[in-house]
Amino acid sequence: MASSCCMLLCLVAHISLLVTFSSAADPFVYYDFVVSYITASPLGVPQQVIAVNGKFPGPPINVSTNNNVVVNVRNKLDEDLLMTWAGVYQRKSSWQDGVLGTNCPIPPKWNWTYQFQVKDQIGSFFYFPSVNFQRASGGFGAFIINNRPIIPIPFAQPDGDIVLLIGDWYTKNHTALRMTLNGGKNLGKPDGVLINGKGPYRYNDTLVADGIDYETVKVHPGKTYRFRVHNVGISTSLNFRIQNHNLLLAETEGSYTVQQNYSSLDVHVGQSYSFLVTMDQNASSDYYIVASARFVNETIWQRVTGVAILHYSNSKGQASGPLPPPPQDQFDKTFSMNQARSIRWNVTASGARPNPQGSFRYGSINVTDIYVLENKPPVKIDGKRRATLNGVSFVNPATPIRLADQFKVKKVYSVNFPHRPSSRDPQSDTSVINGTYRGFFEIILQNNDTKVVTYHLDGYAVFVVGMDFGDWTENSRGTYNKWDGIARTTAHVYPGAWTAILVSLDNVGIWNLRTENLDSWYLGQETYIRVATSEVSNTTELPMPDNVLYCGALSKLQKQQDVSSATLGTVNEIELLFSVLVVIHASVFMFH
């Protein structure tokens, strides 16, 4: 009981701080996540998956710009857990980012409350568990940030909003896949592709077993819907298409795009897109929604195809016949690269703020530091198979980097991450990039592996200004798009190619730079950018939360959590506390 009271007091103090640093006009929204195992058979084989509130995939988080989000996470797994909110900037608060460089994991049977504001953001993102390879078993869900009503969107209000979570899938769970990687082996070909946690519609009696549950999207003729498509998979690039329907690209990862029609679009691991799709067909039958593996031998990979059904309310029959074909370029990625280059920033549209997105003229800002980051196929380091960036395979410290900085714990990490690839032997190290607050970085992502690699930087949107085949050189800057390169939270790189990104370091904290390819990430293909300033105040970074978890060198500071049913933690209890504190805070403000 004493432990519960202590937790309650800490949470009250933290809530009070959050109320203080948030505008009274910015609403709070509350979610209670219970993360547990359930048994499901998405590909016809019973297996253990990770559910949120008993659902696979998890429920969507649906909020609006500047909302304050409170997510109480209860860990009912048999291992540590962290949830990360990929694409949410976590302005001034990397404490809430949910990765091992900033947070101690949530132990089994414990709960922890994330509290953050989606400051000046809109767009389509997703959340997922960030440790122990758990995303390979699920635990993911959509994270939608809507515009405030006073900010117009650059298209007519859609008649509906449809989320599609697509991704490659194995019938082995994450612990078995983890053992495969730990044993120095590749994961091999996936067993299939899921759409919203379901297997393929039986479009082919030979390739798809009978009795598999599939996703059906119900629509009305003449209506236009916003499809939010997220690749939440492990490592497979997917081509997304809807039979006989155009995909009008409107937004990607928080930025409105120049609107262009595509018959299909490649969605790489970790990426998110919004399409406007008009139901303009005669509905003689249902239509296929397809997500199929890219850049593979389709004869061998035929089963690695997700198929859902688009069902008009006046449909006259079931979908039948062959699937709409993907681009026929297994060995030539030029079409895909040109498609990626065609995705441009809508510089005249308002994003989260009234001013146009293009009012931030990134192309005229002087670069303060340059990093060329090269990835290669996995190598052996000290007898273990590891993945590297610039010859460094990242090792997560026992004490999170942000926590080590806070308590001045020495020898947890170093800031000597190499600026460019080196000829030295690969090594395992906890080496991070040292970034200066308000600096402006140019980062070149050079992919010397044989697969498409997606990178993600927490805490920021990056400007994707260029990509090409071959090795990047100083002369490559002549090809950069310095006007309407898309701002997004991921950037993909084709094998044997490079991608250039620019990023304005205006968010103090410790920020994870990683590959979203889950196998490479697990094997060490990541680092962190430490963005620091000598100006220590709440205007640059929010205080450490009072409910922070301690581990590593600071384990002795951690109080045990009461895991009985009496433990504080439901959203209703937290919401009541917030309501009381908001009223108190408003009263004090009025009579001050």
Side-chain angles (χ1 to χ4, degrees):
M1 183 66 184
S3 175
S4 294
C5 290
C6 179
M7 279 183 60
L8 174 60
L9 290 172
C10 286
L11 190 55
V12 167
H14 190 199
I15 291 171
S16 183
L17 275 173
L18 187 59
V19 170
T20 301
F21 296 127
S22 303
S23 167
D26 297 330
F28 288 86
V29 290
Y30 311 89
Y31 291 88
D32 197 11
F33 277 10
V34 178
V35 183
S36 65
Y37 296 121
I38 63 170
T39 299
S41 305
L43 293 177
V45 179
Q47 64 181 117
Q48 183 187 78
V49 303
I50 295 176
V52 179
N53 297 347
K55 296 179 180 180
F56 168 71
I61 291 179
N62 199 323
V63 298
S64 296
T65 303
N66 294 345
N67 280 176
N68 296 288
V69 183
V70 182
V71 187
N72 185 46
V73 175
R74 295 169 179 255
N75 179 10
K76 289 196 173 182
L77 306 181
D78 57 0
E79 59 185 6
D80 289 348
L81 170 73
L82 276 176
M83 299 297 287
T84 192
W85 325 96
V88 176
Y89 297 157
Q90 305 291 357
R91 298 291 302 177
K92 303 190 295 184
S93 188
S94 61
W95 296 107
Q96 306 294 330
D97 200 27
V99 288
L100 289 173
T102 53
N103 297 92
C104 295
I106 306 167
K109 299 183 180 180
W110 284 36
N111 72 284
W112 198 74
T113 303
Y114 293 85
Q115 301 164 64
F116 53 87
Q117 186 176 26
V118 288
K119 183 69 174 172
D120 293 334
Q121 278 197 263
I122 56 96
S124 309
F125 311 98
F126 64 94
Y127 64 83
F128 64 90
S130 66
V131 297
N132 292 325
F133 212 67
Q134 290 163 355
R135 193 175 84 198
S137 283
F140 43 71
F143 197 121
I144 298 169
I145 309 178
N146 302 289
N147 282 70
R148 292 173 290 169
I150 62 171
I151 307 295
I153 57 177
F155 44 81
Q157 187 66 41
D159 297 298
D161 207 299
I162 297 165
V163 170
L164 294 178
L165 299 166
I166 64 177
D168 56 1
W169 190 258
Y170 293 82
T171 54
K172 293 180 179 179
N173 69 9
H174 70 283
T175 55
L177 296 175
R178 202 167 65 203
M179 288 177 62
T180 299
L181 292 174
N182 289 342
K185 299 177 182 178
N186 286 318
L187 295 180
K189 180 170 59 69
D191 296 304
V193 170
L194 305 190
I195 300 180
N196 285 353
K198 299 177 181 179
Y201 170 80
R202 200 177 191 198
Y203 69 96
N204 182 301
D205 291 350
T206 303
L207 296 174
V208 182
D210 190 18
I212 290 179
D213 190 21
Y214 58 88
E215 181 74 347
T216 298
V217 176
K218 297 180 179 181
V219 295
H220 296 283
K223 302 294 187 182
T224 297
Y225 297 84
R226 182 173 182 172
F227 282 71
R228 301 179 191 260
V229 181
H230 313 266
N231 187 334
V232 298
I234 296 173
S235 197
T236 304
S237 295
L238 299 174
N239 180 263
F240 177 80
R241 53 203 185 273
I242 302 178
Q243 185 179 30
N244 292 2
H245 290 73
N246 283 324
L247 309 174
L248 182 62
L249 182 63
E251 177 260 336
T252 179
E253 299 164 12
S255 285
Y256 290 119
T257 66
V258 173
Q259 293 176 25
Q260 299 181 78
N261 273 311
Y262 298 87
S263 57
S264 70
L265 191 73
D266 291 343
V267 185
H268 305 284
V269 178
Q271 295 190 329
S272 302
Y273 289 97
S274 280
F275 304 104
L276 301 175
V277 184
T278 299
M279 303 303 123
D280 55 5
Q281 298 300 299
N282 61 17
S284 57
S285 68
D286 293 339
Y287 298 93
Y288 294 125
I289 300 173
V290 183
S292 60
R294 283 291 270 139
F295 315 123
V296 296
N297 185 326
E298 292 175 18
T299 302
I300 299 174
W301 283 63
Q302 275 184 303
R303 295 180 189 273
V304 189
T305 301
V307 183
I309 292 298
L310 184 72
H311 176 77
Y312 279 57
S313 57
N314 63 340
S315 174
K316 300 178 180 64
Q318 292 185 329
S320 62
L323 301 179
Q328 302 298 309
D329 57 351
Q330 175 188 343
F331 300 107
D332 184 2
K333 300 169 182 63
T334 304
F335 172 82
S336 183
M337 180 179 286
N338 286 337
Q339 190 183 64
R341 287 170 173 159
S342 72
I343 300 170
R344 301 298 180 95
W345 209 24
N346 186 337
V347 296
T348 60
S350 297
R353 294 181 174 182
N355 52 303
Q357 293 180 141
S359 59
F360 184 80
R361 302 186 184 279
Y362 67 88
S364 61
I365 301 175
N366 292 326
V367 170
T368 59
D369 212 344
I370 303 166
Y371 279 83
V372 179
L373 304 182
E374 178 189 68
N375 67 281
K376 292 181 178 181
V379 295
K380 284 286 185 73
I381 301 177
D382 297 329
K384 295 182 179 179
R385 191 168 182 264
R386 302 289 295 174
T388 62
L389 282 176
N390 285 3
V392 178
S393 185
F394 190 83
V395 178
N396 279 295
T399 308
I401 298 166
R402 184 64 196 88
L403 208 56
D405 277 355
Q406 182 75 13
F407 288 89
K408 297 181 171 52
V409 180
K410 304 297 184 183
K411 297 182 179 179
V412 169
Y413 68 95
S414 65
V415 290
N416 59 356
F417 190 90
H419 278 71
R420 292 176 182 265
S422 68
S423 58
R424 69 181 182 182
D425 291 337
Q427 60 181 11
S428 295
D429 195 10
T430 308
S431 177
V432 307
I433 294 172
N434 201 26
T436 303
Y437 180 49
R438 293 181 178 149
F440 195 73
F441 270 22
E442 177 185 9
I443 301 176
I444 315 303
L445 305 168
Q446 181 76 50
N447 182 4
N448 288 345
D449 204 341
T450 56
K451 64 182 180 182
V452 178
V453 175
T454 306
Y455 288 92
H456 173 92
L457 176 60
D458 285 349
Y460 292 95
V462 302
F463 293 94
V464 183
V465 296
M467 60 177 65
D468 206 348
F469 294 105
D471 291 335
W472 180 88
T473 69
E474 304 287 337
N475 293 331
S476 301
R477 293 194 180 98
T479 67
Y480 285 6
N481 177 355
K482 294 190 175 182
W483 169 241
D484 61 355
I486 191 68
R488 59 189 304 175
T489 62
T490 67
H492 67 276
V493 198
Y494 295 94
W498 58 266
T499 295
I501 60 175
L502 301 175
V503 56
S504 177
L505 301 182
D506 60 354
N507 194 13
V508 171
I510 305 293
W511 304 108
N512 189 215
L513 174 61
R514 63 178 179 267
T515 173
E516 282 287 5
N517 302 65
L518 202 57
D519 48 355
S520 298
W521 182 14
Y522 179 76
L523 294 175
Q525 205 163 82
E526 65 174 322
T527 185
Y528 285 79
I529 300 181
R530 180 179 180 270
V531 182
T533 177
S534 57
E535 177 189 346
V536 181
S537 72
N538 295 331
T539 60
T540 57
E541 187 176 25
L542 296 179
M544 181 183 75
D546 291 284
N547 67 337
V548 69
L549 295 174
Y550 297 97
C551 54
L554 300 169
S555 297
K556 61 184 179 182
L557 299 178
Q558 181 62 51
K559 294 182 173 61
Q560 286 300 305
Q561 189 173 115
D562 182 356
V563 296
S564 71
S565 59
T567 301
L568 172 75
T570 68
V571 156
N572 289 338
E573 292 168 320
I574 297 171
E575 188 169 352
L576 177 62
L577 282 170
F578 263 104
S579 300
V580 171
L581 285 165
V582 168
V583 170
I584 295 171
H585 183 262
S587 301
V588 171
F589 180 80
M590 287 175 60
F591 295 104
H592 182 65

